[in-house]
Amino acid sequence: GTKKKATCPGLGLFYTILSAFLFSVASLFLKKLEDLHSVEVSAFRCVFQMAFILPGLIYYKTGFLGPKGKRIFLFFRGFLGSIAMVLLYYAYQVMPLADATVITFTSPVFTSLLAWIFLKEKYSLWDLLFTLFAVTGVILIARPPFLFGSRVTGIEGSYSDHLKGTIAAIASTLSAASTIVIIRKVGKSVHFFLSIWYYAVIGLIGCVITLFVLNEWRLPHCGRDRVFLILIGLLGLGGQIFLTKALQIEKAGPVSIMRTMDVVFAFILQALFLNQIPSWWTVGGALCVVASSCGTAIRKWRHSVKKAKQREI
């Protein structure tokens, strides 16, 4: 028989770092966009995803609607996923890049909590501790005046915008965590291309309707803004592809831990290209959130390894 070619050691982790870098650069370009609503940016992102996913649907012959019993789950996956994208883009536009990025990394903690509520998965005291760490990190980043006084420093623009961005980032994280729970519920009965297809189609329809209601639709300025829009779409798609490839050849635990490099890249890019040095409050919040995220990932990784060994026995 023919021997299977061995996977290069560490390739999955390299793909994860590359994915984190692409997502961070896409976020930087979003910050550089001028006078373009976050909903419109999301609509362009959905168009790019549809254009690249459509050939995959045709090639794998998955259809466009999916199994009858799973369509309602796919709809909510697309609906909540598109809401998460719009809110995240809004947060990136109105608050520091590093702050918004750090808040999004509370997603694993909220995923564990929602999985406990809706999927009856185990939720231990360790999970509760990690949740408290994540909440502490968000508070350090939001810095509400009733705790930190009226003179809040180290924020971008007005504090009202900073607070709106924080709320949007938290809501985005909860929506993203909900989509993960739905994907777990669906399992492998639906091809992942179909899941992304629902996300792109429902997101595009929702974005177009919202833009006409808000009367915010406008063509981006010639030159730089249009190039940034194209790059955001390409980099976001590239980040998703490399993250998917990483999860295919590497265990979920190490990938989840290595994804925290996104926070590091956000800090570096913010300092180099936006001339904003993150405050010590943001650094403290980032340490709390990263510790919480890594702790959650390590626990789930060890649990999955333990279950695999029990199956072998």
Side-chain angles (χ1 to χ4, degrees):
T2 57
K3 289 184 178 179
K4 188 178 179 181
K5 188 177 179 181
T7 305
C8 177
L11 184 61
L13 299 182
F14 172 74
Y15 282 154
T16 308
I17 295 173
L18 185 57
S19 169
F21 178 73
L22 294 178
F23 281 134
S24 298
V25 176
S27 304
L28 174 66
F29 287 146
L30 181 64
K31 293 287 291 183
K32 289 288 188 179
L33 277 176
E34 296 177 358
D35 197 31
L36 205 62
H37 202 281
S38 59
V39 180
E40 187 171 352
V41 181
S42 302
F44 276 97
R45 169 81 180 270
C46 289
V47 170
F48 269 92
Q49 286 190 324
M50 288 175 64
F52 281 89
I53 291 298
L54 184 59
L57 292 178
I58 296 171
Y59 178 79
Y60 288 106
K61 299 178 181 179
T62 61
F64 296 97
L65 297 177
K68 285 187 178 180
K70 306 294 182 181
R71 289 174 188 174
I72 186 67
F73 295 111
L74 287 169
F75 171 80
F76 280 109
R77 181 267 183 270
F79 179 71
L80 292 170
S82 58
I83 288 177
M85 176 176 58
V86 172
L87 291 174
L88 179 60
Y89 283 0
Y90 175 77
Y92 279 138
Q93 288 184 331
V94 299
M95 69 187 301
L97 178 63
D99 290 18
T101 302
V102 168
I103 292 175
T104 62
F105 271 83
T106 59
S107 180
V109 179
F110 289 122
T111 301
S112 297
L113 183 61
L114 292 174
W116 171 60
I117 296 171
F118 295 105
L119 301 181
K120 308 302 179 185
E121 293 186 5
K122 187 177 179 182
Y123 190 80
S124 66
L125 288 175
W126 280 108
D127 293 311
L128 178 60
L129 179 64
F130 296 143
T131 302
L132 293 176
F133 260 89
V135 171
T136 302
V138 172
I139 291 173
L140 290 176
I141 291 171
R143 300 191 288 285
F146 68 88
L147 289 176
F148 293 83
S150 57
R151 300 179 67 180
V152 182
T153 59
I155 65 172
E156 177 183 315
S158 65
Y159 181 75
S160 63
D161 284 342
H162 184 81
L163 184 60
K164 289 176 184 176
T166 301
I167 294 171
I170 294 171
S172 170
T173 302
L174 286 170
S175 297
S178 300
T179 62
I180 294 172
V181 171
I182 292 172
I183 291 171
R184 282 188 192 175
K185 177 70 176 178
V186 172
K188 296 181 180 180
S189 60
V190 175
H191 198 281
F192 73 93
F193 270 3
L194 196 59
S195 176
I196 299 174
W197 172 255
Y198 265 82
Y199 167 53
V201 171
I202 294 174
L204 179 60
I205 294 171
C207 288
V208 170
I209 293 172
T210 304
L211 286 170
F212 277 104
V213 170
L214 298 176
N215 196 26
E216 287 285 350
W217 175 263
R218 63 173 64 88
L219 285 174
H221 299 297
C222 293
R224 194 181 72 164
D225 280 0
R226 296 187 183 184
V227 172
F228 282 165
L229 268 178
I230 294 171
L231 289 175
I232 288 169
L234 291 175
L235 290 169
L237 184 67
Q240 282 191 334
I241 290 171
F242 281 113
L243 183 59
T244 303
K245 287 180 70 67
L247 288 168
Q248 286 175 341
I249 62 177
E250 185 60 79
K251 293 180 180 178
V255 171
S256 298
I257 296 169
M258 197 58 68
R259 274 212 67 200
T260 55
M261 284 297 297
D262 203 334
V263 176
V264 177
F265 289 134
F267 274 69
I268 294 172
L269 293 175
Q270 178 175 304
L272 290 179
F273 298 101
L274 300 177
N275 296 319
Q276 294 176 345
I277 305 299
S279 67
W280 286 109
W281 292 116
T282 299
V283 174
L287 290 174
C288 287
V289 170
V290 168
S292 172
S293 179
C294 289
T296 303
I298 291 170
R299 280 204 74 251
K300 291 192 175 298
W301 179 22
R302 289 183 62 187
H303 181 65
S304 63
V305 170
K306 187 177 179 180
K307 285 183 70 176
K309 287 182 178 179
Q310 287 175 348
R311 289 195 200 100
E312 289 178 2
I313 294 172

